[in-house]
Every structure is written in structure tokens, then in C-alpha cells.
Amino acid sequence: MIDYVQEIERLKIEKNAIILAHYYQIPEIQDIADYVGDSLGLAQAAAETKAEIIVFAGVHFMAETAKILNPNKKVLLPDLEAGCSLAASCHPVDFAKFRSKYPDHIVLSYINCTAGIKELSDVIVTSGNAVQIVESFPKDQKIIFAPDKNLGAYINQLTGRNMILWDGICEVHDQLTTEAIINLKLLNPEAQVIAHPECDGAILTLADMVGSTTAMLKYTENTNFKKYIVASETGILHQMQKKSPEKEFLVVPKDETCSCNDCPYMKLNTLEKLYLAMKNESPNIELEADVIDRAKKPIIKMLDISKKLGLI
Ligand code: 13P
Ligand code: SF4
């Protein structure tokens, strides 16, 4: 019987590898990672690492972003099938046609998109910096926002902009209902409702706080409520519970029969697959050099603006 934790720790040193994990990974993976964060933090960690191999415990677009920022390094993804409904909703051929209808607009794309969409974008944003990056442009700047229509509509509402939205959703957050939140709130009137901006607008209006996974985590650490109703993916509860063991976190049920909002793509990664990926140095992300060149520009722009605004 292989001790995966021990073997992964050994391979990290032997191969000079770093494990970057998103908050939606299973707790065992979060606990063995060198860095756990949201998409913005992960992109920054990928941009700054000195390790020779990056092991990305997340989904494909995240590992692709790490590869774009580190074309000469090996970037491993434990399961190549770990996709994302938002990234899948926006094909570059369809998006190029859509963009051509608005020639005087710039394109801001949520990081949850393929390298092919990043190539067609002017600036990338994440849930941790989207509002501030939109506001860094003049009020009359015409903008296309892709691929998450819920996040786009939320930014439009907060900033008073009228960005043209691509019609994509996160299948995990979009399935949550106001009914489920209201039922939980009736049973727990003292609880704070915190929501990820990939949720539908009706849910966001019910929330006491809306933010990226990192922002939600910080909010639960820095406020003194005893209970939180969390409208997001279940993985984030692991860090919340670790940082605030005395508080209670309730995940919004998907429906009456299931209370697990697990992202089916994030949850494809297991300790065994992580170990095998490190041992075999495969599967790894491959991208053409010209794709990397084009897709890198809007990501670097995002990191530069975020630094200027003091967000990272
Ligand atoms: P953040 O962690 O950047 O908020 O993104 C959430 C998400 O759905 C990632 O796929
Ligand atoms: Fe994509 Fe949603 Fe899963 Fe994040 S939680 S990877 S946005 S499907």
C-alpha cells in the first residue's frame, strides 16, 4: 500500500516541484499543497515560483494559465479531464464571430476560459479583481465581458457599466436557488449569507457579502458572526473551518436530495492521481509557442493592473 502523502512530499523535494491548489480541491490535496488560493492568487504564485515543475491541483484553464506564464517549465495536471463549464461554453471560433459584431469594444475575459479565448482578449480578470479592473477603464469605454454572464451582470450592476455579456455560466454556482437560501436563513436567522459572484443575480441580492473564494474566506475570518450560509462550492468550507474552528458553516443545498455542491471537474483530482502525475511527470500541459505569446499579454496586463491597484 503506497503512502501517497509521504511519496508526494518525497517527490516534491526530489523533483523541485511546487503544488498549487485551488480551494475547491479535496481537503487532503489542500493540506499537502504548497499554496492554496483563488484564481488570482494562483496566477500570481505561478508567475513567481522558482520551482522547476508546477503541479496544478485545479482545473485545465488554471494549469494552462500557469503554463502560459512558465512556457519553459513542466506544468502537470493530475487529470486532463478536469475542465470547466464556463471555459467549455465559449469556443474561440464562436467568440471571434461574436466579438466581430462589436469592433469598437475591448474584451475583458474572466480567467475561467481557454487559452484560445485569452488570445482574443485585451485583459483577463478574476473574481478577486474584476470590479476594480473594469473601474480602471474610463466610464465610456465599451467592453465585451466573457464568458460568465452572472459575474458580468454583477459587475454591470456595481459599476453602472453596460458591458456586452457572453452567455456562459458556472454549472455549480448557477444551480443554487434563492429558495434554498431562504429556507436555510429561516432555520438560521442569525447566519450571514456569503456568495460567490458566479451565482445568479437573485442570490447575490440576498447575500450579505459577495466575493471571490479568498474574499469570502477572509470575511469569515475577520467578522464575528457565529454562522455563515455559504453559496459556493463545498471545498471552500475546509479552509473556513480550519481558520475559524469555533464558527459554523452551512453549505447551500443543491436541492432537497443533495447538499453537496461539488464541482465535478475540480473533484476529479485525487491524491493517487496527484502522486502518479508527479511520479510520471504526466499528464502535462502543452501549448503552441504563438498561442502562449498571444495569451500571455492579457494575463500580464491583469497582474500589472492588480499590482498597481494594490490587489496583489
Ligand atoms: P475564485 O476562486 O477565483 O473565486 O474562482 C472560483 C471558481 O469557480 C474557480 O473555478
Ligand atoms: Fe468551472 Fe464552476 Fe467548476 Fe469553477 S466551480 S471550475 S467555474 S464549473
Side-chain angles (χ1 to χ4, degrees):
M1 179 76 184
I2 300 169
D3 182 335
Y4 293 125
V5 172
Q6 198 180 318
E7 281 302 293
I8 289 168
E9 293 291 4
R10 184 183 64 76
L11 288 167
K12 262 203 247 182
I13 298 167
E14 186 186 304
K15 300 194 179 223
N16 187 14
I18 186 171
I19 300 177
L20 306 181
H22 187 266
Y23 291 124
Y24 296 165
Q25 293 297 291
I26 56 170
E28 296 84 340
I29 291 185
Q30 292 190 39
D31 289 345
I32 206 168
D34 299 288
Y35 177 85
V36 188
D38 67 357
S39 306
L40 180 58
L42 288 163
Q44 194 193 8
E48 290 176 357
T49 184
K50 300 266 182 299
E52 278 166 53
I53 295 181
I54 298 172
V55 189
F56 218 109
V59 291
H60 196 273
F61 76 81
M62 295 178 170
E64 232 179 29
T65 304
K67 179 70 182 178
I68 292 164
L69 291 166
N70 295 279
N72 300 322
K73 290 183 184 173
K74 240 181 208 167
V75 177
L76 308 175
L77 183 64
D79 190 323
L80 276 186
E81 296 297 311
C84 166
S85 65
L86 272 170
S89 79
C90 197
H91 191 279
V93 173
D94 302 328
F95 187 68
K97 260 190 230 156
F98 180 76
R99 188 183 72 158
S100 70
K101 288 195 259 171
Y102 308 99
D104 54 348
H105 287 56
I106 59 162
V107 176
L108 299 198
S109 294
Y110 190 33
I111 198 163
N112 300 33
C113 64
T114 60
I117 297 299
K118 289 186 173 81
E119 283 182 82
L120 298 171
S121 306
D122 295 291
V123 189
I124 298 302
V125 304
T126 75
S127 54
N129 60 20
V131 171
Q132 293 89 336
I133 289 187
V134 168
E135 284 193 320
S136 73
F137 287 94
K139 267 261 172 227
D140 57 355
Q141 174 67 58
K142 293 179 176 157
I143 301 173
I144 296 174
F145 187 83
D148 188 356
K149 69 171 179 189
N150 287 341
L151 176 61
Y154 175 67
I155 301 168
N156 273 345
Q157 191 202 334
L158 276 194
T159 61
R161 308 277 171 139
N162 188 23
M163 300 189 299
I164 306 281
L165 309 180
W166 178 264
D167 188 11
I169 49 133
C170 159
E171 67 183 52
V172 179
H173 290 88
D174 193 65
Q175 69 179 346
L176 303 179
T177 62
T178 49
E179 197 189 351
I181 295 187
I182 291 166
N183 286 341
L184 264 185
K185 186 79 181 168
L186 285 172
L187 293 171
N188 305 276
E190 75 283 26
Q192 281 274 295
V193 177
I194 59 175
H196 194 277
E198 289 170 13
C199 294
D200 181 78
I203 289 192
L204 301 182
T205 54
L206 287 179
D208 298 297
M209 181 267 169
V210 177
S212 73
T213 47
T214 295
M216 284 197 280
L217 179 61
K218 282 197 182 141
Y219 185 76
T220 60
E221 280 183 84
N222 299 334
T223 52
N224 288 324
F225 302 97
K226 288 202 173 67
K227 265 190 201 178
Y228 298 84
I229 295 170
V230 185
S232 191
E233 211 266 3
T234 46
I236 184 66
L237 267 65
H238 179 57
Q239 295 297 329
M240 288 177 175
Q241 205 68 77
K242 257 175 109 170
K243 305 261 189 209
S244 309
E246 74 291 1
K247 297 179 183 174
E248 195 181 336
F249 301 98
L250 309 168
V251 70
V252 176
K254 179 166 149 184
D255 56 42
E256 299 84 49
T257 58
C258 175
S259 63
C260 49
N261 308 322
D262 285 335
C263 170
Y265 314 105
M266 288 279 185
K267 296 299 195 270
L268 281 177
N269 295 326
T270 61
L271 271 187
E272 183 186 10
K273 287 182 197 171
L274 188 65
Y275 158 71
L276 288 173
M278 292 177 77
K279 180 172 163 253
N280 302 327
E281 298 188 18
S282 167
N284 65 321
I285 304 290
E286 310 260 17
L287 285 170
E288 304 283 333
D290 57 334
V291 173
I292 291 182
D293 280 350
R294 286 191 292 269
K296 195 171 187 169
K297 287 184 189 119
I299 302 174
I300 296 293
K301 228 180 222 169
M302 167 186 83
L303 292 172
D304 286 348
I305 300 175
S306 300
K307 266 183 208 146
K308 239 182 244 157
L309 295 175
L311 300 171
I312 54 176

